[in-house]
Amino acid sequence: MKLGISELFPGSGPRDGRWSMDAAQLIEEIGYNSVWLPEHVVFFPSYSSQYPYESGGAQEVHRMLGVHDPLVLAGAIAAATTTLRIGTYVFVVPQRNPIITARQVASIDQLSGGRFQFGVGVGWSEEEYAALDVPFERRGERMNEYLAAMRALWDEAEETTFSGEFVEFEPLYCFPKPAQKRLPVIVGGNSRATLERIVKYGDGWAGYSRTHEDIKVFTEKLSVLMEAAGRDMSELSLKVGRRSKGATEKDWEDDRAYIEEAFRLGIDEVVVSPRIGDANYEKDMRRYAEIVGL
């Protein structure tokens, strides 16, 4: 079975300096398939926007001050590891210029030897969009067009041109190209728009905080839409994120039960978030991996 892990890399306190690279090396040694990097450009003392997932994630967001930029961090982790796949869970695509993002992502994929997976989403924080001076409204349409533009920029053609509502450019060169012939775009979210985005632009799904019934319903809907579009479900990598309910071994055993059922439902990779504390990080990381079956 494939397990990934979503870890917090704040670059401060006990986790500053080389901690991120050391943690990535430990994650690789333990046997995880991948490490996934969360994305928020900035955080706020308070929010009017509603966090769309479970309460544990909301509490974490509300006490965070910041995290390493995921694309910069991905490059550092790529240099510190050899087999670990690296992804974003998820990168808020509409907040950044798509030409710059396309070049950064292609650079990471080249430097990692084709180990990058681009997990993408529209985001939920209106405060963050306002701080970045990007319209929150129609962010889904903006994201779709940015993904199309980035696909064009990653194509093997030497010259690229694109014309749309949100992005337009005359013929240009955008190099390097990704190492992977088709760089995996893993689409986050749970909505109808997410389903349509996966079918049109994606190579997989990055679900989060989903019950087993949620997973069953979502993947059944996705299968119908994929067939209607002439695509096969075998083209997709299905991932779901699982946050531990607590830090006890009983909580970790619950994670294992969740993981086993998710695989039975056709999920390819479960991305766990045990949120191991700093005091006994390596010891607890190894024990958690043992309990969940790595």
Side-chain angles (χ1 to χ4, degrees):
M1 66 181 183
K2 289 194 295 187
L3 284 183
I5 185 168
S6 172
E7 184 56 281
L8 281 180
F9 298 97
S12 59
R15 299 191 174 196
D16 64 1
R18 284 195 51 85
W19 187 93
S20 299
M21 284 76 86
D22 294 340
Q25 289 172 341
L26 175 65
I27 287 166
E28 181 177 63
E29 179 195 337
I30 287 172
Y32 284 99
N33 177 66
S34 57
V35 62
W36 296 85
L37 314 176
E39 154 79 337
H40 281 289
V41 178
V42 288
F43 293 79
F44 299 89
S46 61
Y47 291 83
S48 297
S49 302
Q50 184 69 38
Y51 181 80
Y53 302 109
E54 39 76 35
S55 60
Q59 293 167 12
E60 185 173 83
V61 166
H62 282 250
R63 63 174 177 262
M64 286 297 297
L65 300 179
V67 292
H68 277 304
D69 182 281
L71 299 185
V72 174
L73 179 57
I77 290 176
T81 59
T82 56
T83 61
L84 188 69
R85 293 187 66 78
I86 307 157
T88 47
Y89 212 109
V90 293
F91 186 93
V92 186
V93 168
Q95 293 181 346
R96 305 199 193 190
N97 181 285
I99 299 176
I100 294 174
T101 300
R103 187 185 67 156
Q104 289 176 317
V105 167
S107 297
I108 294 165
D109 199 52
Q110 280 250 349
L111 294 169
S112 68
R115 288 187 280 141
F116 189 68
Q117 302 172 89
F118 194 32
V120 300
V122 298
W124 55 269
S125 172
E126 189 167 357
E127 292 85 351
E128 190 170 13
Y129 272 85
L132 296 171
D133 196 26
V134 178
F136 187 69
E137 296 75 17
R138 302 189 65 216
R139 63 195 185 282
E141 292 96 329
R142 183 183 296 272
M143 174 170 169
N144 292 344
E145 193 170 293
Y146 281 15
L147 289 175
M150 286 189 283
R151 281 287 188 212
L153 291 162
W154 292 330
D155 188 79
E156 293 179 354
E158 190 172 87
E159 291 187 5
T160 309
T161 185
F162 191 88
S163 179
E165 179 182 357
F166 302 101
V167 57
E168 182 172 356
F169 48 83
E170 296 299 319
L172 52 76
Y173 305 132
C174 185
F175 282 78
K177 302 298 185 181
Q180 298 172 89
K181 187 170 183 180
R182 182 176 171 91
L183 190 144
V185 172
I186 312 298
V187 180
N190 309 303
S191 66
R192 173 73 186 193
T194 300
L195 289 163
E196 294 171 351
R197 194 168 289 126
I198 293 170
V199 172
K200 191 167 184 180
Y201 305 103
D203 305 287
W205 174 46
Y208 182 70
S209 188
R210 299 287 87 191
T211 67
H212 294 123
E213 181 61 24
D214 292 336
I215 293 169
K216 184 174 182 292
V217 169
F218 188 91
T219 54
E220 286 174 351
K221 290 179 180 177
L222 181 58
S223 179
V224 170
L225 292 177
M226 287 285 286
E227 183 177 359
R231 297 187 65 188
D232 192 271
M233 287 291 283
S234 63
E235 300 174 36
L236 301 179
S237 176
L238 304 178
K239 308 178 190 297
V240 65
R242 163 73 174 183
R243 175 185 292 276
S244 294
K245 301 302 181 184
T248 70
E249 292 202 358
K250 174 62 170 64
D251 295 315
W252 299 347
E253 288 165 0
D254 289 346
D255 282 0
R256 176 163 185 156
Y258 179 91
I259 290 164
E260 290 173 348
E261 181 60 23
F263 284 128
R264 281 194 286 270
L265 289 170
I267 293 298
D268 304 307
E269 183 171 17
V270 176
V271 178
V272 296
S273 299
R275 295 298 190 250
I276 303 296
D278 296 318
N280 299 293
Y281 185 76
E282 181 175 350
K283 177 184 175 183
D284 289 345
M285 280 283 283
R286 292 186 184 279
R287 179 58 180 152
Y288 177 83
E290 180 183 357
I291 289 173
V292 297
L294 269 181

